[in-house]
Amino acid sequence: MWTPRELLRSAGLRFALLYTVAFMISVGVIGWMTVLTVAGALERQAQRGVENEASALVDEFNAGGRQDLEAALAGRFANPSTHTRYAVVEADGRVVLGDRTLLQSGQDPGAAHGTLRGNMPRIASRELGDGSRVMVADDLAEVREIEAVVTRAFQVALAVAGILGLGTGLLISGALLRRLDTVTRTAEAVVGGDLTQRIARTGSEDEFDRLAATLNRMLDRIDGLMANLRQVSTDIAHDLRTPLSRLRQSLEATRRRATTIEDYQDAVDRAVEETDRILEIFSALLRIAQIEAASLRSGFRRVNLSEILQTVAEAYAAPAADGGRSLTAHILEDVWIDADRDLLAQLFVNLVENALQHTPQGSTISLELKDSGDRAVAVIRDDGPGIPPEERENVLRRFYRLERSRTTPGNGLGLSLVAAIADLHGGRVTLSNGQPGLQVRVAFPQGHEPARR
Amino acid sequence: MKILAVEDDASTLALLVSSLAEAGHAVERATDGPAGLRLALDGAYDVAVIDRMLPGLDGLELVRRLRASGVQTPVLFLTTMSGISDRVDGLEAGGDDYLVKPFAFAELLARVHALARRPPLGRVETVLRAAGIELDLVARRVRRAEDIVDLQPREFSLLEFLMRNAGQLVTRRQLLENVWGFHFDPRTNIVETHMSRLRSKLNKNAEPDPIETVRGAGYILHVDAS
């Protein structure tokens, strides 16, 4: 699955190794301190042991003189398991009983007791009433033995900690790599072009699972944007080919048929008009794309929504009347929202033009602005043929046109621009049955900071 | 008029210079920001046409520095962008008008003329007179000959804009921007509709029409209607 190099480079293993080394150092320090403390305590205990023994022998002497002392010592000598050695030294330095070496190792026979380094014995020496001394000594072999045992125990612990730490490190880094590997594999697949791939979740809600969820959401968003982009490219290719081929045909026809300067001038005028229409589609698309991609609202100001709607109603009253339709307005005054004035004007112009274009003569179009608490709500209603319920969502899409509207002028971008502008302002466009006709409701948040997507 | 054109695209600049010269203007040119700023600082121009994106010094920054130096030459920005806050940015930097490429040449010329005709700061006109029409800005009243012409507020603004630019071509887009505040192109002929109402009110006594329609371009209010 992973090469040793990958494992060694793994951050998990490096952390585990670092942790192991720190752990081993602390085990070592604890061990060293334990040995020192234990050895110290044992040495002090040994010293107390010989002091007590010497005192006991002095007591024997005081109770029954040299005889009792010798009897007691004989008893001690009879016990083979003891490491304790004894000597009785006369005033002139002769060892009369016991271990002669004691006198040599005890550098100062006159000292009450002596402490020697290393395995040298602990010695206690006491004056007896008759000028002689009794000496008791105990070597430290036992202490050293215990010390060695403890030290060895800690060495073993150190080795076990090292092995465990290393093993755990490998396991942890393996597990980390395994978890990250699913992320890497999915990301690679996405890079390779398969945007449908998602990272498998374990459902454990740990940090990896949460990361996977976040990355999946990011992939959903990218997928959505890509689908949108593909759709737009297809739409552009399709909807721009029509006017472009019309332009080409007309130019071709001119080339063949035109004879006079006037013919050519007419043809050029028509070509300019057609080009303007194509440019108009381009700028409408560009504008929708810019509005959809806009992330900052630096251009937003506090604007008077009532005033904008009034201007639109006023501007369209005459054209509507000329077209045999009536436009009525019921606009609540002084409704202010944070917005881009130009974009809002365009939104309402598009909606009114849409209504004018898709209703028969004699229709009435009403424009209304009201306040519903936290929202400013604009309603544009007509009594025309309306939009079938199943088509209402579609008409907000780019280039989408109802079958019966194919013959009326328009590029199918008006309502998608409306949706994009409303979205930028944190608003919502709802299409419904105007009973009869179509009702478009646009609700804007009235707070000072409109929410963004 | 003496016009400064600052544009880095060679073919656009050539077209700009030749067309403005054809319309009878003296044109000086610069192809980058610093050169444009040097020329503009002379202040001896009636109008400056400046591209938004320039090498060396951005068009916005150029105008900002120009204004900071106290030069009040009217500036028309040209741009290929029409981002949602582009126009506002341009005006806030000190630009006076804004034109998005591609544009019809008549549109550019009409805007250059309109900028050049702006009254100097501080001079406030209260009554406009042209073509035998008198427009009182304070009383909001219009007279033709001796008759009072009763106009709707937008019709009044429409006539006001035409009269301020009397004798010059005024485009449909200029009217949309200045009369309705619409900085986009509606599908409906709002301007045409209101223009025809204005005309029928102005000419109700069968006087000669002072407003000429220039096909595909806009309107001219002739100073001397005859």
Side-chain angles (χ1 to χ4, degrees):
Chain A
M1 288 218 274
W2 308 283
T3 63
R5 261 181 55 160
E6 271 179 329
L7 265 181
L8 278 178
R9 277 200 313 237
S10 143
L13 184 64
R14 281 204 303 273
F15 286 136
L17 284 179
L18 202 67
Y19 183 75
T20 307
V21 168
F23 186 62
M24 284 172 74
I25 288 173
S26 55
V27 168
V29 168
I30 291 170
W32 182 58
M33 283 172 64
T34 310
V35 169
L36 278 187
T37 316
V38 167
L42 286 173
E43 279 174 32
R44 277 192 301 280
Q45 204 185 348
Q47 185 63 46
R48 266 199 309 280
V50 293
E51 302 280 357
N52 290 345
E53 186 69 349
S55 304
L57 291 174
V58 170
D59 290 347
E60 292 282 350
F61 179 84
N62 289 345
R66 184 65 73 95
Q67 245 184 355
D68 273 16
L69 175 64
E70 280 175 16
L73 281 174
R76 302 285 204 278
F77 291 147
N79 180 1
S81 70
T82 181
H83 292 264
T84 317
R85 287 173 292 166
Y86 303 90
V88 178
V89 186
E90 293 296 349
D92 58 2
R94 272 181 312 113
V95 178
V96 289
L97 202 67
D99 200 333
R100 185 176 299 275
T101 55
L102 278 191
L103 195 58
Q104 291 155 0
S105 53
Q107 281 170 331
D108 178 10
H113 56 82
T115 305
L116 297 167
R117 293 278 96 207
N119 267 338
M120 286 301 132
R122 300 276 143 165
I123 295 176
S125 166
R126 292 279 193 283
E127 297 281 344
L128 297 175
D130 57 358
S132 61
R133 283 179 298 136
V134 63
M135 294 177 79
V136 181
D138 197 351
D139 68 21
L140 289 173
E142 234 171 315
V143 175
R144 296 291 162 245
E145 242 169 71
I146 291 170
E147 222 176 71
V149 168
V150 173
T151 306
R152 214 163 27 251
F154 271 103
Q155 279 163 351
V156 170
L158 210 59
V160 169
I163 290 164
L164 274 180
L166 198 65
T168 320
L170 284 171
L171 280 176
I172 290 174
S173 55
L176 283 179
L177 277 180
R178 232 184 345 270
R179 295 292 294 274
L180 286 177
D181 220 36
T182 54
V183 178
T184 311
R185 264 201 314 276
T186 312
E188 288 293 345
V190 171
V191 169
D194 184 2
L195 269 173
T196 60
Q197 289 282 328
R198 291 293 177 272
I199 300 159
R201 307 252 327 252
T202 57
S204 60
E205 293 292 335
D206 61 7
E207 47 272 59
F208 284 101
D209 210 42
R210 286 201 306 274
L211 176 68
T214 307
L215 290 176
N216 282 345
R217 273 207 311 282
M218 183 182 82
L219 287 172
D220 288 344
R221 176 101 175 100
I222 293 174
D223 198 19
L225 289 173
M226 289 299 291
N228 197 359
L229 194 63
R230 268 195 303 276
Q231 182 62 43
V232 172
S233 320
T234 318
D235 290 345
I236 291 176
H238 179 263
D239 282 74
L240 282 176
R241 232 190 3 230
T242 316
L244 278 173
S245 26
R246 213 158 43 212
L247 177 63
R248 191 180 187 288
Q249 276 160 15
S250 121
L251 289 174
E252 242 176 23
T254 312
R255 189 81 185 76
R256 254 184 294 128
R257 293 195 212 115
T259 47
T260 65
I261 294 286
E262 286 74 31
D263 287 348
Y264 277 108
Q265 278 173 348
D266 280 354
V268 169
D269 284 350
R270 276 200 309 278
V272 168
E273 270 173 41
E274 192 73 71
T275 316
D276 282 348
R277 264 198 294 280
I278 295 166
L279 286 170
E280 197 183 295
I281 295 179
F282 265 121
S283 54
L285 277 174
L286 199 64
R287 207 158 163 74
I288 295 173
Q290 275 170 340
I291 293 165
E292 281 181 347
S295 51
L296 59 142
R297 300 159 154 188
S298 51
F300 277 23
R301 307 267 189 286
R302 206 84 184 134
V303 299
N304 188 337
L305 186 59
S306 312
E307 182 261 322
I308 295 173
L309 272 161
Q310 238 128 28
T311 306
V312 172
E314 208 182 281
Y316 280 87
D322 285 1
R325 295 165 184 84
S326 66
L327 182 67
T328 62
H330 303 278
I331 294 159
L332 181 70
E333 286 198 7
D334 274 328
V335 178
W336 293 75
I337 62 170
D338 287 334
D340 180 298
R341 196 199 171 277
D342 289 354
L343 290 179
L344 281 192
Q346 181 147 34
L347 183 153
F348 291 112
V349 160
N350 281 15
L351 286 176
V352 170
E353 288 192 338
N354 197 60
L356 288 175
Q357 193 153 30
H358 300 292
T359 50
Q361 288 212 344
S363 302
T364 303
I365 294 136
S366 72
L367 207 56
E368 192 188 351
L369 178 66
K370 53 193 179 187
D371 190 335
S372 80
D374 59 337
R375 313 221 125 208
V377 179
V379 179
I380 291 92
R381 184 187 289 130
D382 64 57
D383 54 2
I387 297 177
E390 66 276 12
E391 298 270 45
R392 279 182 200 140
E393 280 298 309
N394 290 337
V395 295
L396 296 178
R397 280 181 17 213
R398 286 186 188 90
F399 293 117
Y400 192 88
R401 308 194 65 193
L402 293 180
E403 213 39 61
R404 65 161 192 268
S405 307
R406 290 272 161 207
T407 49
T408 58
N411 51 27
L413 291 171
L415 285 181
S416 40
L417 188 56
V418 166
I421 295 173
D423 201 33
L424 180 70
H425 290 84
R428 218 182 121 61
V429 182
T430 331
L431 275 62
S432 59
N433 190 348
Q435 293 172 336
L438 175 68
Q439 172 178 303
V440 184
R441 183 178 182 275
V442 193
F444 296 101
Q446 268 183 307
H448 281 261
E449 274 305 313
R452 176 82 188 131
R453 277 184 235 279
Chain B
M1 273 199 286
K2 204 173 158 199
I3 298 170
L4 172 66
V6 190
E7 162 71 63
D8 60 321
D9 180 62
S11 62
T12 309
L13 183 63
L15 194 69
L16 213 62
V17 171
S18 67
S19 314
L20 285 169
E22 215 174 284
H25 303 296
V27 188
E28 284 186 26
R29 63 183 93 185
T31 53
D32 62 51
L37 182 62
R38 262 198 309 281
L39 285 176
L41 280 173
D42 288 349
Y45 299 95
D46 296 298
V47 178
V49 180
I50 298 173
D51 192 57
R52 270 285 297 265
M53 305 258 262
L54 287 171
L57 186 68
D58 175 50
L60 281 187
E61 191 52 37
L62 194 164
V63 174
R64 237 177 247 131
R65 293 195 193 174
L66 201 59
R67 296 292 184 245
S69 313
V71 178
Q72 294 303 326
T73 311
V75 168
L76 170 63
F77 272 123
L78 298 183
T79 179
T80 42
M81 302 178 283
S82 62
I84 58 169
S85 60
D86 282 358
R87 193 177 58 81
V88 178
D89 290 348
L91 298 186
E92 278 176 358
D96 299 276
D97 201 359
Y98 196 87
L99 194 52
V100 179
K101 295 180 197 172
F103 50 81
F105 186 72
E107 188 74 47
L108 176 88
L109 205 58
R111 283 165 192 263
V112 166
H113 287 155
L115 285 180
R117 291 171 61 90
R118 270 196 191 175
L121 286 170
R123 213 184 91 203
V124 183
E125 287 166 294
T126 53
V127 178
L128 302 175
R129 286 188 189 84
I133 302 168
E134 190 184 282
L135 186 137
D136 188 331
L137 289 163
V138 180
R140 312 288 293 173
R141 197 174 50 213
V142 177
R143 283 173 193 275
R144 184 165 196 194
E146 284 310 306
D147 292 341
I148 287 187
V149 185
D150 194 19
L151 295 179
Q152 298 283 314
R154 296 292 159 182
E155 291 160 358
F156 185 89
S157 309
L158 197 59
L159 182 60
E160 180 192 335
F161 193 79
L162 285 168
M163 288 183 75
R164 281 192 190 279
N165 294 283
Q168 300 287 349
L169 175 77
V170 168
T171 66
R172 201 171 142 252
R173 278 166 68 181
Q174 276 181 297
L175 291 169
L176 280 170
E177 289 176 14
N178 290 285
V179 178
W180 286 275
F182 290 171
H183 295 269
F184 51 90
D185 236 337
R187 190 167 300 283
T188 313
N189 299 328
I190 303 174
V191 177
E192 286 79 345
T193 311
H194 287 86
M195 193 63 82
S196 83
R197 295 191 171 212
L198 172 64
R199 274 173 164 156
S200 65
K201 286 180 182 177
L202 279 179
N203 311 330
K204 62 176 176 243
N205 297 332
E207 300 101 325
D209 189 356
I211 303 168
E212 183 199 339
T213 304
V214 182
R215 199 175 150 261
Y219 305 88
I220 300 175
L221 178 95
H222 289 286
V223 183
D224 188 14
S226 52

